[in-house]
Amino acid sequence: MSKDQLAGGTVHTLPDDLRNALNAAPAAKAIWQSLTPLARNEWICWDITVKQPKTRAEHIKRTISELHEGMRRPCCWLGCIHRTDKALSPSVQWVLNKRSKSKSA
């Protein structure tokens, strides 16, 4: 990977809107490149799993801000549920079950 390329995650590829935001913020971009693939994956998943475009833009803005603050992973995030290399933890499964029950009610 060249110096100018941005790395993605373990499951998710880096979306263009997040790539553009990182390229516009050199300090955040440098921190992004220092993250592990799993940590980058968590940020990407956190940014792309929201439904509304406005919320996604807010998540991306917050990603850049929190990287500047030194955060290495999204705060209060359950974790990427798209990974197939590990089972969901019981606490994550509980939250997902609770969410699916509230949507069907």
Side-chain angles (χ1 to χ4, degrees):
M1 177 180 308
S2 76
K3 183 175 126 181
D4 293 329
Q5 283 185 308
L6 287 168
T10 54
V11 176
H12 301 292
T13 57
L14 187 63
D16 289 339
D17 49 358
L18 181 54
R19 179 184 314 279
N20 293 339
L22 288 165
N23 281 326
K29 180 179 177 178
I31 294 165
W32 179 265
Q33 292 295 76
S34 74
L35 297 175
T36 65
L38 287 174
R40 288 191 303 266
N41 194 73
E42 295 295 314
W43 284 111
I44 295 168
C45 190
W46 185 71
D47 287 333
I48 67 172
T49 55
V50 294
K51 295 178 183 169
Q52 299 293 322
K54 180 181 177 188
T55 307
R56 181 170 170 147
E58 291 169 359
H59 274 228
I60 290 173
K61 183 178 178 182
R62 189 168 152 194
T63 296
I64 301 302
S65 173
E66 291 184 358
L67 287 171
H68 275 284
E69 293 171 8
M71 292 185 67
R72 313 260 321 152
R73 294 194 185 230
C75 177
C76 308
W77 175 240
L78 294 174
C80 179
I81 60 170
H82 304 101
R83 288 179 54 193
T84 58
D85 62 327
K86 68 174 187 88
L88 293 175
S89 70
S91 60
V92 170
Q93 190 61 59
W94 179 84
V95 170
L96 292 173
N97 289 341
K98 186 173 175 139
R99 283 183 185 172
S100 67
K101 286 178 186 173
S102 67
K103 287 181 183 178
S104 63

